[in-house]
Amino acid sequence: YQRRVHGDAGSVDLQNMPVKSMSSSFLGVSPEFEMALFTLAFFTGEKDNEVHCGEYTVNIQTFPMHQYGRKFVGTAFPIALRYDAE
């Protein structure tokens, strides 16, 4: 991870920033729902958390970040597993 600052302090060169190969999120839910779901998954202490949301089953992956001797949510995201329509 590298960040280069050019000229004034507010200019950042984004061309040399790492790029995530993919991303995911829920559609049609509030940010509060996502934050609550990701926080609960983080507090379970597991990396992989299978969650059933209606007819959808998703895996919430969480990765911790350690800073100042404490553990924080580094990142959390959903991965679609299956759709169980009846």
Side-chain angles (χ1 to χ4, degrees):
Y1 177 83
Q2 288 184 332
R3 184 169 71 176
R4 296 186 312 191
V5 177
H6 298 287
D8 63 271
S11 176
V12 177
D13 178 10
L14 297 178
Q15 292 180 343
N16 292 320
M17 300 292 278
V19 176
K20 288 177 68 175
S21 60
M22 73 169 69
S23 182
S24 61
S25 66
F26 288 104
L27 296 176
V29 299
S30 68
E32 293 86 355
F33 174 80
E34 281 197 31
M35 289 297 294
L37 185 60
F38 295 158
T39 302
L40 287 173
F42 176 75
F43 282 135
T44 66
E46 301 294 326
K47 175 185 170 189
D48 295 303
N49 302 277
E50 189 170 299
V51 177
H52 303 279
C53 298
E55 59 266 355
Y56 297 94
T57 302
V58 297
N59 178 23
I60 304 297
Q61 287 200 329
T62 60
F63 296 91
M65 173 181 73
H66 299 278
Q67 191 172 15
Y68 306 113
R70 298 181 65 191
K71 188 166 91 170
F72 297 93
V73 178
T75 187
F77 53 88
I79 298 174
L81 295 179
R82 64 185 170 274
Y83 174 71
D84 300 322
E86 293 183 24

